[in-house]
Amino acid sequence: MEQEGAPHLTSKQVSEEHRDDAAAGTMPEEGYERGLGGRQIQMIAIGGAIGVGLFLGAGANIEKAGPSLILMYALAGVIVYFIMRALGELLLYRPVSGSFAEYAREFLGPFWGFVTGWTYWLLWVVTGMAELTAAAIYINYWFPAIPQWVTALAFLILLYVANLISVKLFGEIEFWFSMVKVTALIGMIVIGLGVVTFGFSAAGDTATAANLWAHDGFFPNGVGSSLMTLQGVMFAYLAVELVGVTAGESENPEKTLPKAINTLPFRIILFYVGSLSVILMVVKWTEFQAGVSPFVAAFAKIGIPAGAAIINFVVLTAALSSCNSGMYSTGRMLRDLASNAEAPRMLGRLSSTKTPAVAITVSAALMGIGVILNYLVPEKAFAYVTSVATAAGIWTWMMILLSHIRYRREVVAGRLPASSFPALGGSACSWVAFVFLLMVTVFIAMDPDGRISLYVGAVWAVTLVVGWAILKGRQPQVAERATEDDQDSLSHAAGERI
């Protein structure tokens, strides 16, 4: 028994409807079950900041940057906070499930909403591939005889089934996945500080804060090499924006979303800067290498019984958590595209449990490409998919920032109501973050391994332009945008609200 999703509307009708909602102070009803409570939203936000990019990808970045990687995570963390405050202001202006695409559609135009929605969908499909790859690598720690592709396929099926059941089940799974990650990281930090302070364990003789600068300095391979790690660092932060996708299914978004975003700096300081600082004090940076989790390596060095196996379980949880989030977000984004006539109508259908079952099924099937990559090139699968995901993530963040800048312009002009959660510094911080993301894109172009993402991005861009041309040819009304009269009507409505 399937229910139809949101009716097929033109972009102009959607824009008018949403602007009326914003002016009236009401929240659009999208047909989803508002089944995500405050504790789940908080843990989804925390879990989004702790993923495979930290647990596995940090090994390769430590090899390139040494201890200076700590500074790169801190710098990128500031930029991510700017992005999230910009998103937070938009979310409290109008909380909807397809947030990034919706805001791009409203403030930049229908084409940009189309591109952003499909690109964010691609981001999570590709990220899902990366997480399945990572999970298969972690399972090989215990069962090296099992082929990577077999494990990846098994996890894909399990998470797919879980996401079909209900949003509440997704929320509960994500809550406990995140709880495992948070508890483990805090435990690692405490144990690591104990090793450095009191000198116990096999690593006690060499564990010291001096490891942060004693081996060829804080920038052992030069500042340039450290900056080149920013693309991998930004991948580690992908998923923090997932909070925006949950807006349409949050019980109380006006309360839970600001709280989740405001705690982001503390999560970055503790979980990224804190944990990396501790493990690089416990074990000198020269002992880490690509393809091996630095956390697993550190606990193996400490010599705690079963410590490395425990951490391996934690990083496995992190990978599955991210893939679970990917299943969730791709389904919602495809449904948003279908609701705006930018994807096949069948993708907008909700199941009897109010989940976008068809959209989730299509996304999960395409994540299966990651299984094929694990079969064909298991040693390169993770690097390929993370580079593509990073490029897609940077595009999404850029669209959030540009949408926020345009929204602020509308507010200043008195044409839109102000959000109850304004970003720090207005649009100035959004401009700073936008320039930073452009710089990271240049670094990606300079990196032979990361450059493949730009090639894929170019093909993807051509595909979207062709797709938009075909869509516009078949349904010209999809490309229509709100007129100045619509703007004036909204301004009048906003004035009445005040």
Side-chain angles (χ1 to χ4, degrees):
M1 288 67 59
E2 301 209 326
Q3 305 167 4
E4 290 295 332
H8 247 1
L9 302 175
T10 69
S11 292
K12 179 178 178 180
Q13 290 171 320
V14 170
S15 179
E16 290 171 346
E17 189 175 279
H18 287 164
R19 287 170 182 269
D20 289 341
D21 288 329
T26 61
M27 192 181 309
E29 185 57 55
E30 301 175 283
Y32 292 120
E33 177 186 8
R34 291 196 175 275
L36 295 177
R39 68 181 179 88
Q40 293 167 324
I41 294 295
Q42 284 296 317
M43 276 299 174
I44 288 172
I46 293 173
I50 308 171
V52 70
L54 172 65
F55 285 122
L56 180 61
N61 289 325
I62 290 173
E63 193 174 29
K64 294 176 183 177
S68 65
L69 183 64
I70 299 168
L71 180 60
M72 297 301 104
Y73 271 103
L75 175 61
V78 172
I79 299 301
V80 167
Y81 181 60
F82 289 166
I83 295 169
M84 290 303 295
R85 283 304 301 260
L87 176 59
E89 183 166 4
L90 291 169
L91 286 171
L92 270 294
Y93 150 69
R94 184 163 64 85
V96 288
S97 182
S99 58
F100 322 117
E102 282 296 317
Y103 302 137
R105 194 175 288 119
E106 177 176 352
F107 296 110
L108 304 177
F111 171 73
W112 300 105
F114 171 81
V115 171
T116 301
W118 279 109
T119 300
Y120 193 68
W121 170 82
L122 174 69
L123 182 159
W124 274 109
V125 167
V126 173
T127 299
M129 296 180 194
E131 309 300 2
L132 289 171
T133 300
I137 291 172
Y138 298 142
I139 288 295
N140 277 356
Y141 177 86
W142 293 299
F143 307 103
I146 299 179
Q148 276 187 208
W149 72 270
V150 173
T151 307
L153 179 61
F155 284 135
L156 175 65
I157 293 172
L158 285 173
L159 293 177
Y160 164 67
V161 172
N163 269 268
L164 287 183
I165 296 175
S166 73
V167 69
K168 287 186 177 180
L169 179 59
F170 159 77
E172 280 302 305
I173 291 174
E174 201 56 34
F175 175 84
W176 290 108
F177 275 163
S178 297
M179 184 67 76
V180 169
K181 292 186 287 186
V182 169
T183 303
L185 271 180
I186 292 175
M188 282 188 278
I189 291 171
V190 171
I191 293 172
L193 288 175
V195 172
V196 173
T197 305
F198 302 108
F200 62 80
S201 87
D205 294 338
T206 56
T208 171
N211 282 335
L212 297 179
W213 58 82
H215 307 283
D216 297 324
F218 190 68
F219 293 92
N221 297 320
V223 175
S225 182
S226 298
L227 290 174
M228 289 297 289
T229 65
L230 281 174
Q231 56 176 306
V233 170
M234 297 307 289
F235 173 78
Y237 284 120
L238 290 182
V240 293
E241 76 290 328
L242 182 64
V243 171
V245 183
T246 67
E249 294 170 273
S250 304
E251 291 177 353
N252 188 1
E254 292 85 357
K255 180 180 179 181
T256 57
L257 295 179
K259 184 177 180 181
I261 292 170
N262 278 334
T263 56
L264 181 63
F266 304 104
R267 299 198 301 269
I268 289 173
I269 292 171
L270 177 63
F271 298 128
Y272 280 90
V273 177
S275 63
L276 282 174
S277 297
V278 169
I279 67 168
L280 287 172
M281 286 190 286
V282 171
V283 182
K284 56 186 179 181
W285 72 270
T286 53
E287 296 186 26
F288 296 109
Q289 59 184 348
V292 178
S293 168
F295 295 89
V296 173
F299 269 69
K301 178 78 172 181
I302 291 173
I304 296 177
I310 292 171
I311 299 305
N312 197 67
F313 171 75
V314 173
V315 294
L316 170 63
T317 301
L320 295 179
S321 169
S322 188
C323 189
N324 186 45
S325 296
M327 292 276 189
Y328 171 86
S329 58
T330 50
R332 273 65 185 175
M333 195 55 68
L334 273 187
R335 183 174 185 249
D336 175 73
L337 289 163
S339 299
N340 286 279
E342 296 169 354
R345 187 176 182 180
M346 63 180 295
L347 296 176
R349 294 174 180 170
L350 290 179
S351 68
S352 58
T353 56
K354 296 186 177 180
T355 62
V358 179
I360 291 173
T361 300
V362 170
S363 299
L366 288 170
M367 285 183 190
I369 295 174
V371 176
I372 298 173
L373 285 175
N374 275 281
Y375 176 75
L376 297 176
V377 284
E379 71 286 350
K380 292 285 188 179
F382 186 75
Y384 286 166
V385 294
T386 54
S387 63
V388 174
T390 301
I394 287 175
W395 171 268
T396 301
W397 288 340
M398 283 181 170
M399 291 300 101
I400 291 172
L401 294 169
L402 290 178
S403 297
H404 176 252
I405 290 167
R406 291 293 298 271
Y407 166 71
R408 291 294 307 174
R409 186 182 303 172
E410 295 293 299
V411 171
V412 171
R415 290 191 289 266
L416 282 179
S419 171
S420 60
F421 187 49
L424 298 174
S427 59
C429 290
S430 291
W431 278 116
V432 171
F434 185 81
V435 172
F436 180 88
L437 293 179
L438 287 178
M439 179 183 71
V440 173
T441 304
V442 172
F443 292 152
I444 291 175
M446 294 169 60
D447 182 8
D449 293 329
R451 201 175 299 150
I452 187 175
S453 66
L454 300 184
Y455 300 146
V456 173
V459 174
W460 180 247
V462 171
T463 302
L464 290 177
V465 169
V466 172
W468 178 254
I470 294 173
L471 179 65
K472 191 167 62 170
R474 292 178 176 177
Q475 302 184 62
Q477 70 276 15
V478 172
E480 293 180 12
R481 190 170 181 186
T483 65
E484 291 300 320
D485 290 338
D486 299 325
Q487 295 276 3
D488 294 338
S489 297
L490 181 64
S491 179
H492 176 70
E496 288 182 347
R497 180 186 175 193
I498 295 172

